Structure formats: structure tokens, C-alpha cells
Amino acid sequence: MGTKRFFAGAVAFVMTVMSTAAMTASAADTVKVAADKVTAAAGKDFSLNVSLSGVPKDGIRACEFALKYDSSIIEVTGVKAGTIADTGADAKEADISKEAPSFGVNFATAGVVNVEWSTGLTSSDYWIKSDGVLFTVEGTVKSTAKAGDVSKVEIVPIDRALFEGSTEKNTDIVFANISGSTVTNYEVSTSDGSVTVEGAETTETEAPTETTKESTTETSVKPGLD
């Protein structure tokens, strides 16, 4: 994730504003986060979308969460921002977005993908305001994976300190709106995904085909005497 961002990460962004702002929780607006369930054969590539639905009309200015997966079955090779993550904020914040784009991701640790999206722009025109694909995970099924193996792709809070210098752990998936002096934390529901290894779990052995030769008997007839 970009560390030179004006607000260094979504939660740091929220916490900075919270220090001087009133905070509310919106149960009426529930953001739904869902990961795809996909299949791929051992040694083959896969793509898995993570999408949002129920995005509140007021928009999302910051979000942060992680994906947890089984690194003995799959390997993550890349993460690409989806359509709804491209709000135009990076173009507007060109002075910082080259080094710290609004969409930040870290998958250096096997088994975990940490994701955040945030913008310092106060105009809601540059916030996430529609349902759709937030990002796509690209990866490969391990060649050692067996047919029928399943790697769950769980949507979880990022494993980190609650804030810098804190000994308390973060326990929240964050989807927030920051408007003026008010921070609204949206309720979140999740639907985990998975990658299932394709292939028959058992192989049936066909009985060998028997080839029967027709036996032919040749009869020699000696010419008889009249």
C-alpha cells in the first residue's frame, strides 16, 4: 500500500478525521462484499472478482479489508482495480496518485491480500457510488493441488494494530463516508468465495477390449479316382 498518500490508508484516514469529528454508524445502509466462487485445474490460472452491492447513495470515501486464502492450494500473482474503483480520483490527485493511487493492495505475504481504497478529495463525485467489481484477484492453482481441493477466499479485517502505537488489534472491515465533520461507518455483510480444483476425483479403469479371432479350418480334398 502507498505510504506517501496524504491519508496513509483508509483506516488512518478515518482515524485522522475521527479525532475531531462526530462519528455515526449507519445500519440502514449495509454494504455487501462478495467474492466469486471459481474453478480451475491444477497448474492453471484463475480470476476471481470481489464485488460490492448496496453501495449507499452518499457514497464510500474509504474502505479497507483483507482476503484470506489457502496458499498450499493457490498462489496470488496479481490484483487489479475494478470498474467502480476508477472514480477519477487519481487523475484529480495526480500529484500523489503516481506513487500512492487511491486503490492500494499488498499480497506479499502468502495467504493474505490486504486491500484499501480512499481519497482525500471532498467532492463526492470522486467517491465510490455504484455497485460492481471493486477488484479482481489473479492467480494460479498449485501444480501439487489435487482435484476436489478447495481454497476458501474469506473476507476478513486486516490484521494490524488498531492505530499507530496501539497494542489493540483491528477487528473491523471498514466502509466509511467522511463528510465535513461527520464520519459514517456503514454496516457490512460478506459472502466468502472459493477456488475449487477441477478434475475427476476418481479415475475409472476400463476393462481391456478382448479381440476374438475367428478360427478357420482349411480342408484339403484330394482328388478322387473316378
Side-chain angles (χ1 to χ4, degrees):
M1 296 182 185
T3 56
K4 297 183 180 180
R5 191 167 183 75
F6 180 69
F7 294 106
V11 171
F13 178 31
V14 174
M15 293 300 293
T16 299
V17 180
M18 280 175 56
S19 62
T20 57
M23 182 173 174
T24 64
S26 176
D29 293 309
T30 299
V31 179
K32 301 175 182 65
V33 190
D36 283 350
K37 291 180 171 63
V38 301
T39 61
K44 299 298 183 180
D45 296 337
F46 69 87
S47 292
L48 181 148
N49 291 331
V50 175
S51 303
L52 304 184
S53 60
V55 173
K57 60 181 179 60
D58 291 337
I60 296 165
R61 195 174 171 189
C63 65
E64 178 198 84
F65 61 96
L67 299 180
K68 184 180 177 182
Y69 64 91
D70 189 336
S71 60
S72 71
I73 297 174
I74 62 174
E75 177 184 4
V76 172
T77 56
V79 180
K80 293 183 178 180
T83 305
I84 65 171
D86 183 10
T87 65
D90 287 342
K92 189 71 173 177
E93 296 182 291
D95 55 332
I96 63 171
S97 62
K98 287 183 179 179
E99 293 188 23
S102 55
F103 177 74
V105 62
N106 186 333
F107 56 92
T109 300
V112 179
V113 178
N114 290 331
V115 174
E116 65 94 6
W117 189 96
S118 64
T119 178
L121 296 172
T122 57
S123 172
S124 64
D125 291 344
Y126 301 99
W127 302 352
I128 295 174
K129 300 192 76 174
S130 61
D131 296 353
V133 176
L134 182 63
F135 61 90
T136 300
V137 177
E138 297 179 337
T140 304
V141 177
K142 295 284 187 73
S143 60
T144 53
K146 297 178 181 178
D149 283 350
V150 179
S151 169
K152 291 182 180 179
V153 179
E154 300 176 87
I155 300 165
V156 297
I158 288 182
D159 182 13
R160 57 165 179 77
L162 186 58
F163 54 86
E164 189 175 355
S166 173
T167 57
E168 188 177 352
K169 284 283 189 177
N170 171 57
T171 58
D172 294 323
I173 294 172
V174 176
F175 279 83
N177 173 288
I178 301 128
S179 181
S181 60
T182 302
V183 177
T184 301
N185 265 343
Y186 296 122
E187 294 289 329
V188 179
S189 69
T190 62
S191 179
D192 295 334
S194 62
V195 179
T196 301
V197 183
E198 291 178 343
E201 295 184 12
T202 58
T203 303
E204 294 184 3
T205 304
E206 294 183 1
T209 303
E210 294 184 4
T211 304
T212 304
K213 287 186 178 181
E214 291 186 5
S215 59
T216 58
T217 304
E218 294 184 0
T219 305
S220 298
V221 180
K222 293 183 179 181
L225 296 174
D226 292 333

